[in-house]
Amino acid sequence: MLRCEERIVPFFARPLRLAEYLLAAYLNGGLLSLLALTSLHALMQHHNLECPEFYPKLYGLFDDKALECTYRERFFLMAELFLGSALLPAYLTAAFVKRLARHALTAPPDACQVALALALNLIIRHPELSVLVHRTAGLGAVAGPADATDGGADDTRARLHGDPYLPDEPLPERSRALESSLWEVQSLRAHYLPAVAQIADKFSLPMHGYAAKVVRLQVDDYTEGSYASLLRGELKWRKGRPTALAFKKRRALFADDEPDAPGLSCFAAKAAADDGAKQ
């Protein structure tokens, strides 16, 4: 299954005979579905194979396991290829973008980068999805930094309850993703990892027309990431840079003559207070 499109399909006189086997593997779910994508694409592109349940099943494959599986690079490259057609309806591509953003909230940093990169590319490819970024009504608004709140977990919980998107709906056309917004991306702009926050910041920039300031990202640049690679990148970036210390440089460790610096007097005052409490 791993190299079926290279070692098996080209040598069949009638490759469509493999369609039933590949469709069964694709609809089975799990790792087999991911591996069958490439072979199905070959049959659909060169032999006019039709698969009515292809996109609903592909929508179901976008879960936490897909973001961290062994063949993540292969899966996301194929998914970007399938979702890149300009003939796809807006409700379908919106469902994929919304699901990617939702899983990015709880995904590890390396998987979060992959999900955001693919979601950004889909919005650039489909201008009609800009409404997800610029919608300002409701709890799911992503208007800009001025509308951002610092409610923490309570704010995220309120947004989840007010979001019309149905994450448990298996059919993308019934998920109501086009009625929602990408408030998840606004939350990720405050991510603790600067690399993730930088990708999330790109969603607030112009993406279409002559004023566009965002270009499509190479998804395969992020699919091979891991905690180790992220740590190496941070250490390489910070090497030779000064470490942030106190705002004001102190003349001495304990100095009573400096403003807002209690020095040793704070210890004496505390000791006197303790003695008074004992007496």
Side-chain angles (χ1 to χ4, degrees), residues 4 9 20 27 34-35 47 66 73 81 85 99 108-109 114 128 161 174 183 197 248 251 269-270:
C4 180
V9 175
E20 184 178 356
L27 298 177
L34 304 183
L35 297 180
H47 303 281
E73 179 179 3
L81 179 63
S85 175
R99 172 158 285 195
V114 179
E128 61 273 12
H161 287 294
R174 298 181 181 177
W183 59 267
K248 294 182 179 179
R251 295 197 304 270
K270 186 177 184 302

Side-chain angles (χ1 to χ4, degrees), residues 109-239:
D110 55 327
C112 183
Q113 287 181 301
V114 179
L116 289 179
L118 181 54
L120 181 67
N121 289 350
L122 291 179
I123 296 178
I124 295 176
R125 185 69 179 88
H126 303 276
E128 61 273 12
L129 299 183
S130 298
V131 65
L132 297 177
V133 180
H134 300 294
R135 178 172 286 130
T136 58
L139 289 174
V142 186
D147 296 334
T149 58
D150 297 326
D154 294 336
D155 180 65
T156 302
R157 192 177 301 110
R159 289 173 182 250
L160 284 172
H161 287 294
D163 195 346
Y165 173 66
L166 304 176
D168 298 328
E169 174 58 49
L171 298 178
E173 60 269 19
R174 298 181 181 177
S175 64
R176 301 177 63 187
L178 204 56
E179 305 174 20
S180 180
S181 64
L182 295 182
W183 59 267
E184 298 92 346
V185 177
Q186 179 67 28
S187 300
L188 291 173
R189 294 180 66 181
H191 198 276
Y192 68 88
L193 187 67
V196 175
Q198 288 175 3
I199 301 178
D201 286 336
K202 294 180 182 294
F203 284 80
S204 61
L205 301 176
M207 303 183 191
H208 308 99
Y210 293 104
K213 298 182 180 180
V214 183
V215 297
R216 295 177 67 254
L217 302 178
Q218 296 296 329
V219 179
D220 53 347
D221 292 342
Y222 303 97
T223 51
E224 298 181 357
S226 61
Y227 276 108
S229 63
L230 293 176
L231 179 59
R232 287 195 299 268
E234 287 296 314
L235 293 177
K236 182 179 179 181
W237 180 81
R238 297 180 184 277
K239 185 177 181 180

